[in-house]
Amino acid sequence: MPLLEIDGLRIYYYTLSGIVKAVDNVSLVIGENEWVSIVGESGCGKSTLAYGVVRLVPPPGRIVSGRIMFRGRNLLSMDREEFRSILGREIGMVFQDPMTSLDPLRRVGDQVAEMFTTHLGIDRGEALEKAGELLEVVGLSRDYINYYPHQLSGGQRQRISIAIAMSLKPKLLIADEPTTALDVIVQDTIMDLIEGFKREGTSILFITHDLALAAERSDKIAVMYAGKLVEFGTVDQVVDNPQHPYTMGLLHSVPDLWGPRRIESIPGYPPDLRDPPPGCRFHPRCRFRIDMCSREEPELIEVEEGHYVACWLRSSGGG
Ligand SMILES: Nc1ncnc2c1ncn2[C@@H]1O[C@H](COP(=O)(O)OP(=O)(O)OP(=O)(O)O)[C@@H](O)[C@H]1O
Ligand SMILES: [Mg+2]
């Protein structure tokens, strides 16, 4: 049984100006002890997908349909109590902006310790002791338990968020762009830290817009475009043998040694998700498009074992 199985998930934002189909029929599987990265441009629905898994989709967003099976149980049909026993304990989440998840008015030690007092029922003194130990695990001195979030750098705050998410040794860590605002050296140490947790048995759902970064550490990569999953497979499959023109475009946009980041390989912009193009959502930007692409939506199909793609060039037996 896979650890996490997302099946036909739809999450829409019901705004005054229309319905934003931010996650539209996405299915995805994460195995035990697996690192899966979700990659895609800004606004394609990565964070919304993560919020869905932890049932924290902000209004006016709503989970419209789908199932999220975690160790065989549907997270979406659990009552509040049952879900609360899983969030934090079995699933840890690091949010895109640590300032939104940390309480600015409380010392970070108390915020970490709270995980232990709430979930393990131990007293504050013992919990603070454990919080100090945990700060050392994430590469901070235990003195930081007395600091407030605003006294920390972005990288230090991100470490605190990771410490909180990992405090109860969850089976799954969801990390939403945990390194985006950080310089490359700090980024690397955070990635090492996450990889260390994976070695100890935690599965990772990592979210990034940076395919090159994802390729370094992941087992599998899921490429999202405009609310849809367009390609999924192992790193070797997706990076060395990309099948979707969007993935190919992302690969051409990775920085290379001889020049600046080249992004001209994908012309145009992602669509407005209130009114996405018909057929394949990528077709207006796709240089390989055929007639079919603007008329009908391609399904995600398996092109080789474990490698899935949603593209008419593959589905029609051509290409
Ligand atoms: N609270 C909200 N109300 C209305 N629309 C929203 C809301 N939050 C997100 N959206 C829309 O949903 C879509 C997906 O947003 P989301 O934040 O999930 O993208 P993302 O892939 O995480 O982007 P980024 O890389 O910039 O973090 C976007 O079109 C966005 O405008
Ligand atoms: Mg995001």
PDB file of all heavy atoms in Angstrom, residues 34 65 70 165 213 242 258 260 272:
ATOM      1  N   GLU A  34       9.919   7.568   0.127  1.00  0.00           N
ATOM      2  CA  GLU A  34      10.152   8.077  -1.209  1.00  0.00           C
ATOM      3  C   GLU A  34      10.173   9.608  -1.168  1.00  0.00           C
ATOM      4  O   GLU A  34       9.458  10.218  -0.389  1.00  0.00           O
ATOM      5  CB  GLU A  34       9.000   7.603  -2.105  1.00  0.00           C
ATOM      6  CG  GLU A  34       9.348   7.432  -3.558  1.00  0.00           C
ATOM      7  CD  GLU A  34       8.254   6.682  -4.302  1.00  0.00           C
ATOM      8  OE1 GLU A  34       7.095   7.145  -4.346  1.00  0.00           O
ATOM      9  OE2 GLU A  34       8.571   5.615  -4.849  1.00  0.00           O
ATOM     10  N   SER A  65     -13.663  17.629  -5.025  1.00  0.00           N
ATOM     11  CA  SER A  65     -13.826  16.179  -5.119  1.00  0.00           C
ATOM     12  C   SER A  65     -12.478  15.501  -5.031  1.00  0.00           C
ATOM     13  O   SER A  65     -11.424  16.151  -5.074  1.00  0.00           O
ATOM     14  CB  SER A  65     -14.517  15.798  -6.433  1.00  0.00           C
ATOM     15  OG  SER A  65     -13.728  16.207  -7.524  1.00  0.00           O
ATOM     16  N   PHE A  70      -4.227   8.146   3.042  1.00  0.00           N
ATOM     17  CA  PHE A  70      -2.959   8.129   3.774  1.00  0.00           C
ATOM     18  C   PHE A  70      -2.921   6.839   4.577  1.00  0.00           C
ATOM     19  O   PHE A  70      -3.778   6.618   5.430  1.00  0.00           O
ATOM     20  CB  PHE A  70      -2.858   9.357   4.678  1.00  0.00           C
ATOM     21  CG  PHE A  70      -1.591   9.417   5.490  1.00  0.00           C
ATOM     22  CD1 PHE A  70      -0.382   9.701   4.887  1.00  0.00           C
ATOM     23  CD2 PHE A  70      -1.620   9.170   6.852  1.00  0.00           C
ATOM     24  CE1 PHE A  70       0.786   9.741   5.632  1.00  0.00           C
ATOM     25  CE2 PHE A  70      -0.450   9.211   7.605  1.00  0.00           C
ATOM     26  CZ  PHE A  70       0.757   9.499   6.982  1.00  0.00           C
ATOM     27  N   ALA A 165       7.829  20.805  12.076  1.00  0.00           N
ATOM     28  CA  ALA A 165       7.200  19.789  11.224  1.00  0.00           C
ATOM     29  C   ALA A 165       7.742  18.393  11.525  1.00  0.00           C
ATOM     30  O   ALA A 165       7.017  17.405  11.448  1.00  0.00           O
ATOM     31  CB  ALA A 165       7.426  20.134   9.749  1.00  0.00           C
ATOM     32  N   LEU A 213      16.815  21.666  -9.103  1.00  0.00           N
ATOM     33  CA  LEU A 213      16.930  21.402  -7.667  1.00  0.00           C
ATOM     34  C   LEU A 213      16.216  20.094  -7.316  1.00  0.00           C
ATOM     35  O   LEU A 213      16.736  19.257  -6.581  1.00  0.00           O
ATOM     36  CB  LEU A 213      16.323  22.569  -6.876  1.00  0.00           C
ATOM     37  CG  LEU A 213      16.373  22.456  -5.351  1.00  0.00           C
ATOM     38  CD1 LEU A 213      17.803  22.631  -4.847  1.00  0.00           C
ATOM     39  CD2 LEU A 213      15.456  23.494  -4.694  1.00  0.00           C
ATOM     40  N   PRO A 242      12.243  13.242 -21.055  1.00  0.00           N
ATOM     41  CA  PRO A 242      10.959  13.939 -20.865  1.00  0.00           C
ATOM     42  C   PRO A 242      10.030  13.679 -22.047  1.00  0.00           C
ATOM     43  O   PRO A 242      10.488  13.629 -23.189  1.00  0.00           O
ATOM     44  CB  PRO A 242      11.369  15.417 -20.795  1.00  0.00           C
ATOM     45  CG  PRO A 242      12.672  15.494 -21.513  1.00  0.00           C
ATOM     46  CD  PRO A 242      13.357  14.186 -21.250  1.00  0.00           C
ATOM     47  N   TRP A 258      27.251  28.114 -18.987  1.00  0.00           N
ATOM     48  CA  TRP A 258      27.799  29.085 -19.926  1.00  0.00           C
ATOM     49  C   TRP A 258      26.966  30.339 -20.087  1.00  0.00           C
ATOM     50  O   TRP A 258      27.278  31.213 -20.835  1.00  0.00           O
ATOM     51  CB  TRP A 258      27.987  28.409 -21.291  1.00  0.00           C
ATOM     52  CG  TRP A 258      28.945  27.269 -21.164  1.00  0.00           C
ATOM     53  CD1 TRP A 258      30.302  27.355 -21.203  1.00  0.00           C
ATOM     54  CD2 TRP A 258      28.630  25.913 -20.935  1.00  0.00           C
ATOM     55  NE1 TRP A 258      30.842  26.117 -21.005  1.00  0.00           N
ATOM     56  CE2 TRP A 258      29.845  25.216 -20.843  1.00  0.00           C
ATOM     57  CE3 TRP A 258      27.429  25.203 -20.777  1.00  0.00           C
ATOM     58  CZ2 TRP A 258      29.900  23.841 -20.608  1.00  0.00           C
ATOM     59  CZ3 TRP A 258      27.491  23.838 -20.561  1.00  0.00           C
ATOM     60  CH2 TRP A 258      28.708  23.170 -20.478  1.00  0.00           C
ATOM     61  N   PRO A 260      23.250  32.818 -18.654  1.00  0.00           N
ATOM     62  CA  PRO A 260      22.194  33.053 -17.695  1.00  0.00           C
ATOM     63  C   PRO A 260      21.056  32.060 -17.911  1.00  0.00           C
ATOM     64  O   PRO A 260      21.039  31.329 -18.892  1.00  0.00           O
ATOM     65  CB  PRO A 260      21.744  34.472 -18.024  1.00  0.00           C
ATOM     66  CG  PRO A 260      22.084  34.657 -19.463  1.00  0.00           C
ATOM     67  CD  PRO A 260      23.290  33.809 -19.719  1.00  0.00           C
ATOM     68  N   ASP A 272      -5.001  31.949 -17.341  1.00  0.00           N
ATOM     69  CA  ASP A 272      -5.847  32.335 -16.225  1.00  0.00           C
ATOM     70  C   ASP A 272      -6.678  31.109 -15.839  1.00  0.00           C
ATOM     71  O   ASP A 272      -7.414  30.570 -16.667  1.00  0.00           O
ATOM     72  CB  ASP A 272      -6.773  33.472 -16.711  1.00  0.00           C
ATOM     73  CG  ASP A 272      -7.668  33.990 -15.594  1.00  0.00           C
ATOM     74  OD1 ASP A 272      -7.871  33.277 -14.586  1.00  0.00           O
ATOM     75  OD2 ASP A 272      -8.166  35.124 -15.741  1.00  0.00           O
TER      76      ASP A 272
END
